[in-house]
Amino acid sequence: MARLAERRTLITGGAAGIGAAIARVFCQEGAAVLLVDRDADALARTAAALREQHPRARIESMAADVADEEAAPGAAALARRAWGGLDVLVCNAAMRNYSPLSEARPEEWRAMVDVNLVGTANYCRAALPALRESGKGSLVIVSSCYAVTGRAGMGIYDATKAGLLAMTRTLAFEEAPHGVRVNAVCPGSTLTEFHVGRARARGKAVEQLKGERSDTSLLGRWAAPEEIAWPVLWLASDEASFMTGTHVLVDGGLSAM
């Protein structure tokens, strides 16, 4: 099955983690993929790996910080030059912050909002003309399960992720007349290179890390990045043609605990 055959897609934060997993799944399902990420080295490695795994896939990449408002129109223009337009936008790029809200400084808030909210808005604004032209445009925003449930220690991040759900609902209202569906995915704890790297920097073994999420899901484990990518694929595809303005919790049951 090629569930995204001939679909032209743009994925922000596509160099690693969930973004790279989305790219792999999209390529498997026939999509043309444009990856945007500020980590140029990781971006090059991921693009090379995709080309090796999928020799017939149409793959483009662009090194850019999602907070750079000038880069978003450049990415949309690259898609037009390469493929004539866009059918799917996945807004996945994000940054994290671990300051308690009682101590978080205004500059920390501004940095998070610039990436997680304004950066997402920039790519939506740049891509929407092409998504409207597509006739089957689909916009998928990667939020977080912590947009709908509480925890301590990542309040700025969680607030911006909650804001993305509001953005999803509003965009769904605004874009329905133009034939563009807008949905969000809310991942739970997902074992990516980022978490592995942080653990190793603290001298923690990966196996020890894997056992630390037994209390953050009913399934008692981390998600693999592909387990988040598959729901993104579904929302992007025609199989979700009656889905818009909603979010899908992919959290192993955390929100039910």
Side-chain angles (χ1 to χ4, degrees):
M1 256 181 102
R3 295 155 81 185
L4 292 182
E6 304 305 318
R7 300 292 172 89
R8 301 155 297 181
T9 70
L10 192 164
I11 304 167
T12 69
I18 291 173
I22 294 169
R24 289 192 293 271
V25 167
F26 276 25
C27 284
Q28 290 168 14
E29 296 296 325
V33 173
L34 167 56
L35 305 178
V36 177
D37 201 289
R38 71 176 186 174
D39 188 335
D41 292 339
L43 187 64
R45 289 193 297 271
T46 297
L50 288 172
R51 291 186 181 103
E52 182 177 354
Q53 295 160 7
H54 305 281
R56 296 184 179 180
R58 297 176 293 167
I59 299 164
E60 302 286 341
S61 62
M62 175 176 158
D65 189 329
V66 75
D68 178 3
E69 66 177 294
E70 301 298 328
L78 174 55
R80 283 192 181 277
R81 289 195 304 273
W83 311 317
L86 271 175
D87 304 293
V88 178
L89 170 65
V90 179
C91 292
N92 169 71
M95 69 176 293
R96 295 173 174 84
N97 179 286
Y98 298 92
S99 295
L101 290 180
S102 60
E103 301 173 11
R105 305 296 302 166
E107 57 268 24
E108 295 177 87
W109 278 96
R110 283 190 287 267
M112 291 288 291
V113 168
D114 280 349
V115 172
N116 294 4
L117 285 175
V118 179
T120 296
N122 287 339
Y123 276 82
C124 291
R125 184 175 67 250
L128 276 168
L131 296 179
R132 292 169 177 175
E133 292 169 10
S134 164
K136 291 187 175 182
S138 178
L139 200 170
V140 184
I141 294 175
V142 179
S143 177
S144 168
C145 65
Y146 291 106
V148 297
T149 190
R151 61 174 168 176
M154 290 186 72
I156 306 178
Y157 177 87
D158 296 347
T160 60
K161 290 295 187 174
L164 290 176
L165 297 187
M167 188 184 298
T168 297
R169 292 188 292 270
T170 301
L171 280 169
F173 267 98
E174 294 178 350
E175 295 305 317
H178 303 291
V180 179
R181 296 183 300 105
V182 187
N183 295 288
V185 166
C186 297
S189 299
T190 307
L191 192 59
T192 65
E193 301 96 320
F194 174 83
H195 295 291
V196 171
R198 288 190 77 231
R200 285 175 174 161
R202 299 195 303 269
K204 185 180 296 183
V206 174
E207 288 306 313
Q208 181 184 354
L209 176 68
K210 288 180 178 179
E212 290 182 350
R213 287 297 187 269
S214 59
D215 60 348
T216 60
S217 80
L218 291 177
L219 300 179
R221 62 175 178 82
W222 296 79
E226 283 74 14
E227 291 179 294
I228 311 302
W230 286 112
V232 173
L233 167 69
W234 180 68
L235 287 174
S237 76
D238 290 342
E239 293 173 15
S241 57
F242 202 58
M243 296 281 290
T244 197
T246 193
H247 61 272
V248 177
L249 289 160
V250 193
D251 64 356
L254 172 64
S255 53
M257 294 173 70

